[in-house]
Amino acid sequence: MEWTIQELATRAGITSRTLRHYDRFGLLAPSRVGENGYRYYNPAAVARLQRILLMRQLGMGLPAIAKVLADEVDTCDGLRTHIAALEEERDRIEQQIRSVRHTLEALQAGAEPRMDVMLAGFNDRYKDEVISRWGERAFQVSNDWWHGKTIDQQQAWKQDTEDLVAAWVTAAKAGVSPTSEHAQSLAARHVQWLSQIPGTPTADGDRDRSIEMVEGLGDMYVDDPRFAGMYDDAAGATFVRDALRAYARTRM
């Protein structure tokens, strides 16, 4: 079975121009090109497009997606990873539905909704991961800290985070060395940002675990598709990792 480029674009909810761009970028070539110049796509190509679209939804840039696909040995392993991520997202959405339904039913009954139930599922996307890496206390304390902020405070925090990420991306694109004074000042700023989150080793002043955490986060920025695209592309994430690693080993 094959689809033309127009059929595939329609079914995928994208444009033919996007598919041609993916081809030029080396992400998705047509399965074959007919004598009439038409592009045709078989099930293997559609499966590859499915993965590209999933990674795009995770916020990854095309260079980062290309690296993931190029480094991948087994397509089935990649699909299993995506299934796990989608199931995690499904569980989070189901929790949000339960939270909103609780609020609605309480209000309709003239009762006061439970505040902890109302917010369950909205800010604990990485709960299991945080607990596995740094323990239950780290999650609970940081989660309580976040929910204790006003909306304005949460927005200010998010803006500070976006400003830090933008500064990293600018430095990476400028070709700055990870060990340069500029990169190390960004690493110091990053660690200071982490130290503001209660429950983290940096906030607790635990030097050994802080170094482990900073290096672990750097590795995660590169290895985890959810974070790799955060710094624009794989090269940007690698720059951040290398700068954080150098800072952790020489200045912490």
Side-chain angles (χ1 to χ4, degrees), residues 78-130:
L79 289 171
R80 291 186 189 99
T81 299
H82 284 303
I83 289 172
L86 289 169
E87 287 176 339
E88 182 179 309
E89 181 69 7
R90 178 201 60 199
D91 292 343
R92 186 178 69 87
I93 292 173
E94 288 178 349
Q95 176 63 68
Q96 290 182 345
I97 291 172
R98 288 193 294 271
S99 298
V100 175
R101 181 173 289 121
H102 164 78
T103 304
L104 175 62
E105 291 174 350
L107 292 175
Q108 288 178 332
E112 184 176 275
R114 287 180 52 192
M115 293 176 65
D116 57 334
V117 175
M118 284 192 288
L119 294 177
F122 285 90
N123 286 286
D124 56 359
R125 182 175 182 178
Y126 303 113
K127 176 179 179 179
D128 293 340
E129 189 167 346
V130 170

Side-chain angles (χ1 to χ4, degrees), residues 164 168 181-195 243-244 247 251-252:
L164 176 58
W168 276 120
E181 196 58 39
H182 179 55
Q184 289 303 287
S185 69
L186 285 175
R189 181 177 165 188
H190 202 104
V191 173
Q192 175 60 29
W193 171 75
L194 287 171
S195 69
L244 289 174
Y247 182 85
R251 307 195 184 194
M252 288 182 69

